[in-house]
């Protein structure tokens, strides 16, 4: 006897009905209204946008504001031709907003309308906790010069009894992080207290401890402005923006459950942090000239390698900004788009929608670009298309996870790229690491151990024997070795370091490299042949920077093995 599962059948019918509703909205958007279609169930809703249209009016005329950036507001609509919808657009435009409509289904709109309820609930929990003022942040940031200043600022607020107390604490933390040019804010519940730490130049520093009552309010507040659910049983990702002096700082929020509560990490994406010129990256003189020539070629493949957090994206952005011209089309495929570059078309991968690096690269080629940047080559298909693209008149930039520049060729061959084709496509592989710069106000010379003296002399002697021009850096193989140490002062937050700089190495696809590529060479074989190119490797670059007082030997040893290849 066949058993008919009525509940299962009803659910199936409901799924089909919802899918038909989405398909209809998509068709109407394209054929009748000529506006973009959007599925809001896959979009982060920005609560600041909700403030532009009251909930009762949004429900009545079936609209949903879901994103706002400065004066640009995105609104999902169900019936664009309704007089009330046209009227609300005019009203917002009269207030100075630039309005863009998107076609959406009723189900999509419901998601935004439910967000109104969450916002209302949170307002009742903690009045006045919904706005982050850029102006207030700037005023607070002016008072914060050192790490202890953040704790002092929060301690002063803790004595406040107003309903705005939590907002002020969050503003003080954000203001301090932005003022000190931190890259992340970490809020981490421990047994009995909650740690607040910020990451400066790649290193985490504790700035204060808060109690759980304050933490719970901060948790809800950050979730709300980040467009996250208030539930505490799942990992979530969201974002919000802070506007300072007409430029946007994007905050990417990650929340995960932990033993004592939810860990919150907010990454600060300050566009000013990537506005560096090539001259400021730390690339040595000879390599700098080579890179300048290579990135301006009409076609080729340039790979930047290194671990996560080594500055690869910043380097690629710097290259793109260097070659940008209104006469060429530059298109990027990233995950995610962290910084927006003016004049450049940037797209973001979305694996839920089947749009990964591979699909993005295929689509990009149909846009007739001159230059393509692929955020990362992860698989064989992407690698093959990137290589083929560089052979058909495109300049392709991308990143690859290898330990050094020599590892790029074996890695691409392992991914299935034909070595004979690769030899014609690859222009240069560049490897980099980041080291902290010594504070020029307080750095001091230190004693050099016998072991350090011997190893540095061996490195310099070997570099000289390979024909590398040490003299252009005021360095000699037989010179007296002098090193510097971090001390700490008010200007560097008592850390001894301020800012970071790259150490680099590169391998060019010259005749000697091209000749060995078809033989599937190992990393060591490529490195051996490339030594004759006369370019400093990361170890040598780091040693020269430590001898010059730019960084310390300790920093260099953290990122490269200075004993490698030294007998």
């Amino acid at each position: 006897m066949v058993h008919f599962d009525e509940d299962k059948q009803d659910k199936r019918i409901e799924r089909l009905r919802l899918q038909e509703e989405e398909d209809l909205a998509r068709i109407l958007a394209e054929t009748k209204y000529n506006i973009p279609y959007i599925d809001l169930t896959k979009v982060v809703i920005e609560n600041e946008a909700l403030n532009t249209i009251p909930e009762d009016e949004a429900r009545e005329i079936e609209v949903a504001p879901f994103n706002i950036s400065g004066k640009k507001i995105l609104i999902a609509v169900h019936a664009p031709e309704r007089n009330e919808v046209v009227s609300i657009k005019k009203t917002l435009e009269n207030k100075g907003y630039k309005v863009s409509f998107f076609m959406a289904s009723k189900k999509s709109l419901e998601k935004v309308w439910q967000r109104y309820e969450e916002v209302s609930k949170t307002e009742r929990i903690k009045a006045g906790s919904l706005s982050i003022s850029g102006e207030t942040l700037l005023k607070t940031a002016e008072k914060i010069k050192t790490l202890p200043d953040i704790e002092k600022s929060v301690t002063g607020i803790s004595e406040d009894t107003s309903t705005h107390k939590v907002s002020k604490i969050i503003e003080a933390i954000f203001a301090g992080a932005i003022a000190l040019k931190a890259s992340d804010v970490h809020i981490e519940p421990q047994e009995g207290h909650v740690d607040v730490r910020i990451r400066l130049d790649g290193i985490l520093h504790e700035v204060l401890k808060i109690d759980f009552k304050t933490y719970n309010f901060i948790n809800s507040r950050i979730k709300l402005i980040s467009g996250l659910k208030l539930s505490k049983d799942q990992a979530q990702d969201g974002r919000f923006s802070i506007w300072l002096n007409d430029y946007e700082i994007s905050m990417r929020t990650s929340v995960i459950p932990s033993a004592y509560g939810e860990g919150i990490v907010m990454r600060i994406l300050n566009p000013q942090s990537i506005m560096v010129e090539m001259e400021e990256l730390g690339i040595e003189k000879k390599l700098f000239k080579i890179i300048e020539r290579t990135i301006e070629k009409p076609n080729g493949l340039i790979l930047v390698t290194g671990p996560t957090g080594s500055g690869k994206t910043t380097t690629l952005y710097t290259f793109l900004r260097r070659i940008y011209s209104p006469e060429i089309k530059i298109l990027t495929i990233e995950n995610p788009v962290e910084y927006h570059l003016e004049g450049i078309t940037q797209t973001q991968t979305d694996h839920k929608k089947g749009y990964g690096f591979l699909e993005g690269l295929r689509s990009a080629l149909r846009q007739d670009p001159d230059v393509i940047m692929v955020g990362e080559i992860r698989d064989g298909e992407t690698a093959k298309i990137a290589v083929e693209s560089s052979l058909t008149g495109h300049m392709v930039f991308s990143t690859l996870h290898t330990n050094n520049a020599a590892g790029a060729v074996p890695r691409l061959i392992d991914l299935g790229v034909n070595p004979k084709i690769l030899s014609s496509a690859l222009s240069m592989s560049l490897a980099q690491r980041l080291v902290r710069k010594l504070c020029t106000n307080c750095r001091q010379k230190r004693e050099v151990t016998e072991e350090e003296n011997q190893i540095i002399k061996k490195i310099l002697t070997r570099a000289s024997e390979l024909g590398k021009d040490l003299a252009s850096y005021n360095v000699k193989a037989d010179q007296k070795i002098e090193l510097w140490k971090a001390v700490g002062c008010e200007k560097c937050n008592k850390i001894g370091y301020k800012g970071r700089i790259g150490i680099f190495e590169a391998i060019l696809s010259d005749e000697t490299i091209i000749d060995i590529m078809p033989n599937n060479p190992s990393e060591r074989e490529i490195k051996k042949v490339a030594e004759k190119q006369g370019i400093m490797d990361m170890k040598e670059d780091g040693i020269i920077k430590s001898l010059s007082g730019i960084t310390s030997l300790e920093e260099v040893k953290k990122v490269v093995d200075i004993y490698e290849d030294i007998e």
Side-chain angles (χ1 to χ4, degrees):
M1 180 178 178
V2 178
H3 175 69
F4 183 75
D5 191 333
E6 189 173 343
D7 287 342
K8 185 176 181 181
Q9 189 67 16
D10 286 345
K11 288 178 181 178
R12 183 172 179 273
I13 292 171
E14 178 64 15
R15 282 199 303 271
L16 290 171
R17 186 189 68 77
L18 292 174
Q19 186 58 53
E20 285 178 358
E21 186 180 348
E22 293 300 327
D23 291 341
L24 178 60
R26 186 184 292 105
I27 292 168
L28 289 173
E30 295 173 355
T31 61
K32 183 176 181 179
Y33 298 114
N34 196 29
I35 61 175
Y37 160 80
I38 192 165
D39 182 355
L40 292 174
T41 61
K42 300 176 181 178
V43 175
V44 174
I45 308 303
E46 293 192 0
N47 296 303
E48 189 180 346
L50 302 180
N51 295 328
T52 59
I53 303 176
E55 179 184 359
D56 55 353
E57 186 175 2
R59 287 179 178 273
E60 183 181 347
I61 65 175
E62 297 181 326
V63 299
F66 64 91
N67 183 284
I68 189 167
S69 178
K71 284 293 184 178
K72 296 178 182 178
I73 183 168
L74 308 183
I75 301 176
V77 298
H78 189 61
E81 80 283 1
R82 285 182 61 170
N83 292 332
E84 298 93 332
V85 175
V86 176
S87 177
I88 196 72
K89 182 178 182 181
K90 288 181 179 178
T91 301
L92 289 169
E93 286 176 341
N94 290 336
K95 292 180 181 180
Y97 289 102
K98 183 179 179 181
V99 180
S100 296
F101 279 162
F102 288 75
M103 190 73 187
S105 66
K106 280 280 190 71
K107 183 185 176 218
S108 277
L109 298 177
E110 282 287 350
K111 178 187 177 183
V112 181
W113 296 338
Q114 289 171 7
R115 176 66 66 182
Y116 277 109
E117 296 176 9
E118 287 190 18
V119 169
S120 176
K121 179 182 177 183
T122 307
E123 280 182 320
R124 292 194 297 271
I125 293 172
K126 197 68 182 176
S129 65
L130 289 179
S131 62
I132 285 188
S133 166
E135 185 179 345
T136 303
L137 281 177
L138 279 176
K139 289 180 180 178
T140 307
E142 289 173 0
K143 303 174 186 176
I144 295 175
K145 306 298 180 186
T146 64
L147 287 168
D149 288 343
I150 300 177
E151 185 173 13
K152 290 177 186 176
S153 181
V154 173
T155 301
I157 295 168
S158 297
E159 299 170 2
D160 190 343
T161 58
S162 73
T163 56
H164 296 279
K165 173 181 170 181
V166 172
S167 289
K168 290 178 180 178
I169 290 175
I170 293 176
E171 285 172 351
I173 293 171
F174 286 164
I178 292 168
L180 299 177
K181 298 180 180 176
S183 60
D184 307 277
V185 176
H186 295 243
I187 302 177
E188 303 161 322
Q190 307 294 332
E191 187 176 7
H193 69 275
V194 178
D195 288 331
V196 178
R197 301 194 289 172
I198 66 173
R199 190 183 295 278
L200 294 176
D201 298 328
I203 305 296
L204 281 169
H205 300 271
E206 185 176 304
V207 290
L208 68 139
K209 297 182 187 295
I210 57 176
D211 58 73
F212 273 93
K213 182 179 179 181
T214 303
Y215 159 76
N216 287 329
F217 282 126
I218 289 175
N219 180 304
S220 298
R221 169 89 164 85
I222 289 172
K223 282 183 179 177
L224 184 68
I225 61 177
S226 301
L228 303 178
K229 295 179 181 178
L230 297 177
S231 56
K232 298 186 177 182
D233 58 351
Q234 60 183 324
Q236 300 184 74
D237 296 312
R239 63 173 292 274
F240 62 95
S241 297
I242 298 172
W243 286 85
L244 300 178
N245 287 341
D246 297 325
Y247 75 89
E248 179 187 15
I249 295 178
S250 182
M251 308 285 287
R252 296 193 181 271
T253 307
S254 173
V255 178
I256 61 169
S258 66
Y260 300 104
E262 288 182 303
I264 304 171
V265 176
M266 288 163 288
R267 188 174 182 195
I268 304 170
L269 301 176
N270 190 336
Q272 292 192 340
S273 67
I274 64 154
M275 292 302 171
V276 295
E277 299 302 323
M278 273 181 59
E279 290 81 0
E280 301 171 45
L281 292 175
I283 301 170
E284 57 101 352
K285 299 172 186 176
K286 179 175 180 177
L287 180 56
F288 184 89
K289 292 178 181 177
I290 292 170
I291 290 173
E292 263 194 319
R293 292 195 303 267
T294 306
I295 64 175
E296 291 176 356
K297 287 182 178 181
N299 61 278
L301 174 63
I302 295 176
L303 296 174
V304 181
T305 75
T308 302
S310 60
K312 300 188 297 297
T313 301
T314 299
T315 297
L316 285 179
Y317 279 175
T318 303
F319 291 170
L320 294 180
R321 288 175 52 242
R322 186 74 162 208
I323 64 174
Y324 171 72
S325 162
E327 298 174 355
I328 64 173
K329 181 177 179 68
I330 301 177
L331 194 149
T332 74
I333 305 114
E334 305 173 58
N335 181 26
V337 175
E338 296 184 347
Y339 301 97
H340 295 282
L341 302 174
E342 189 174 350
I344 294 173
T345 303
Q346 296 173 265
T347 68
Q348 181 167 308
T349 61
D350 187 340
H351 292 287
K352 291 181 180 178
K353 296 181 179 179
Y355 183 75
F357 286 115
L358 173 60
E359 293 77 16
L361 185 50
R362 283 174 174 161
S363 300
L365 292 172
R366 293 193 287 271
Q367 293 280 316
D368 190 28
D370 299 290
V371 178
I372 306 170
M373 187 194 94
V374 184
E376 184 182 348
I377 292 177
R378 298 178 177 176
D379 56 75
E381 283 298 312
T382 306
K384 289 174 186 175
I385 295 179
V387 168
E388 290 168 5
S389 301
S390 69
L391 293 172
T392 54
H394 304 89
M395 174 55 78
V396 181
F397 295 90
S398 190
T399 67
L400 198 65
H401 281 289
T402 63
N403 289 326
N404 50 44
V409 171
R411 176 64 178 147
L412 288 175
I413 293 173
D414 286 345
L415 287 173
V417 176
N418 187 323
K420 293 180 180 179
I421 296 177
L422 181 59
S423 64
S424 302
L426 184 62
S427 299
M428 176 178 66
S429 59
L430 178 76
Q432 68 178 80
R433 300 289 189 275
L434 289 177
V435 292
R436 291 184 294 171
K437 294 193 292 185
L438 284 166
C439 174
T440 54
N441 187 61
C442 63
R443 66 182 179 183
Q444 291 180 5
K445 288 185 179 179
R446 68 168 177 85
E447 291 185 6
V448 181
T449 67
E450 184 58 32
E451 182 185 4
E452 289 171 339
N453 188 71
Q454 287 182 9
I455 192 69
I456 291 173
K457 281 188 177 294
K458 284 182 179 179
I459 291 170
L460 295 178
T461 300
R462 189 168 185 275
S464 180
E465 290 171 349
L466 290 170
K468 300 181 182 181
D469 186 13
L470 298 178
S472 61
Y473 307 99
N474 298 317
V475 173
K476 296 179 181 179
D478 58 352
Q479 73 173 44
K480 180 184 178 183
I481 304 301
E482 293 182 330
L483 296 174
W484 302 72
K485 66 177 180 179
V487 178
C489 65
E490 292 295 328
K491 290 189 176 181
C492 61
N493 283 299
K494 304 286 186 182
I495 297 170
Y497 296 94
K498 192 170 185 180
R500 288 192 289 179
I501 196 169
I503 57 175
F504 298 84
E505 68 182 24
I507 292 178
L508 304 175
S509 292
D510 59 13
E511 289 184 9
T512 57
I513 298 293
I514 291 172
D515 286 343
I516 67 170
M517 273 193 196
N519 301 324
N520 194 2
S522 67
E523 186 177 303
R524 183 170 290 277
E525 288 171 330
I526 292 172
K527 193 172 182 181
K528 193 74 176 174
V529 172
E531 286 178 341
K532 298 173 184 177
Q533 294 179 353
I535 300 172
M536 298 287 176
D537 63 24
M538 285 188 290
K539 174 176 57 186
E540 294 157 352
D541 191 20
I543 290 297
I544 289 172
K545 284 184 170 75
S546 64
L547 292 173
S548 304
I550 296 172
T551 188
S552 65
L553 183 63
E554 288 74 19
E555 280 293 296
V556 175
K557 289 166 77 173
K558 284 180 184 177
V559 296
V560 294
D561 181 5
I562 66 170
Y563 298 97
E564 186 181 15
D565 298 327
I566 300 297
E567 296 178 359

